Amino acid sequence: MKTRGSQIALTIIFVLFGFMLATQFRARPPIAENLKQQRAEELSVLLQVAEQERDTLRTEVASLRDQVADMMAGQNEVKVLQAELQKSMILAGLTEVEGPGVSVEMNDSTRQASPGQDPNVFLIHDDDVQKVVNALFAAGAEAISVNGHRLVTTSEIICAGNVIIVNGARIAPPIQIKAIGDPETLHAGLKMRGGVVDSLVLWGIEVKTRVEEKVVIPAYSGSLRLEHVTPVKKGGAM
C-alpha cells in the first residue's frame, strides 16, 4: 500500500510540475518575438541617429555651397581685375604684344646731292620717322615700335646732330617700324596718294611697306618716372 501511495504522490507532483512549466511558458513571450521587438527598437534608434546625421550633413553642405559661391564670386572679381590690369598694361605699353599689322623699312636715299644742294635732305631725320608713326596712329595702330623700341605717351623721337634718338636710345638706318592694327587700313594710310610715303619718295628715301599676318612688339623698357602727374581725388574737399 505504501508503494501505491508513493506512486500516486509522485504522479501528483509531476502533474503539478508540468502545470507550472506550462503556465510559465504561456506567460513568457516566445524568443523569436522578443528578438523581433528588440531588433525593431534598435532599428528605431539607428534611424533616429541616421536622420540626425543627415540633417547635420545637409546643414554642412548648405554652408559649403555658400562658401563655394563666395569663392567663385571672389575669383570672378579677381579675373575681372586681372583682365582690366592686363588691358591697362597693354595700353600703357608695359607688356609684349602681338597681332596682325604692317612693317615699314626706311633707308637713306642713294642720290647724290647736286652742287650747292644740302646732302642732309637725302637722309632720314627724326621728323620723317615721326610722320610715318603719326600716319600709322591716325590709321588706327594699337601699338608701334621703332627699331625695337615701344612707343608710349611719354616717348620722344628727336634728332641729335645726325643721330635719331627714340626713348633715349640711338638708332640708325635702316629704320624698322612695326605696327599692330588692321593691316589693310594701316597699309592704305601709309600709301594714300600724296601721303607720307609719297613725300619721302620724292627725296629718294627708300620706304618699303609690307602687310604682316603677325607682328610682335616688345614692352616699353624706358623710364616711367612722373614728377607732376597725380590722380584726382574724387569726393574730396575743394
Side-chain angles (χ1 to χ4, degrees), residues 28-170:
R28 187 176 179 181
I31 294 176
E33 291 183 4
N34 278 346
L35 290 175
K36 269 188 187 179
Q37 185 176 357
Q38 198 173 24
R39 184 62 177 163
E41 291 175 355
E42 290 177 357
L43 289 174
S44 177
V45 172
L46 290 174
L47 179 60
Q48 291 178 0
V49 172
E51 288 177 345
Q52 291 175 357
E53 290 180 352
R54 178 200 62 194
D55 294 339
T56 301
L57 288 173
R58 281 180 177 174
T59 303
E60 291 179 358
V61 168
S63 176
L64 288 173
R65 283 177 177 170
D66 292 340
Q67 292 179 30
V68 169
D70 292 341
M71 290 176 62
M72 292 299 294
Q75 288 179 355
N76 290 336
E77 291 179 3
V78 169
K79 288 180 180 178
V80 171
L81 291 174
Q82 287 177 337
E84 290 297 325
L85 176 60
Q86 184 69 18
K87 183 178 179 181
S88 298
M89 291 183 67
I90 290 174
L91 291 174
L94 301 179
T95 184
E96 186 178 44
V97 291
E98 64 179 26
V102 297
S103 61
V104 181
E105 181 177 317
M106 302 170 62
N107 273 295
D108 291 332
S109 173
T110 57
R111 295 181 187 174
Q112 298 295 321
S114 302
Q117 191 176 27
D118 185 0
N120 286 322
V121 297
F122 301 110
L123 303 178
I124 298 173
H125 296 281
D126 58 328
D127 59 337
D128 298 324
V129 178
Q130 189 67 64
K131 287 176 183 177
V132 173
V133 168
N134 290 344
L136 289 169
F137 274 131
E142 298 174 359
I144 298 178
S145 67
V146 178
N147 281 38
H149 298 281
R150 178 76 169 269
L151 298 185
V152 296
T153 55
T154 58
S155 292
E156 55 183 8
I157 302 174
I158 59 176
C159 223
N162 293 328
V163 178
I164 300 174
I165 298 177
V166 177
N167 290 345
R170 296 183 178 186

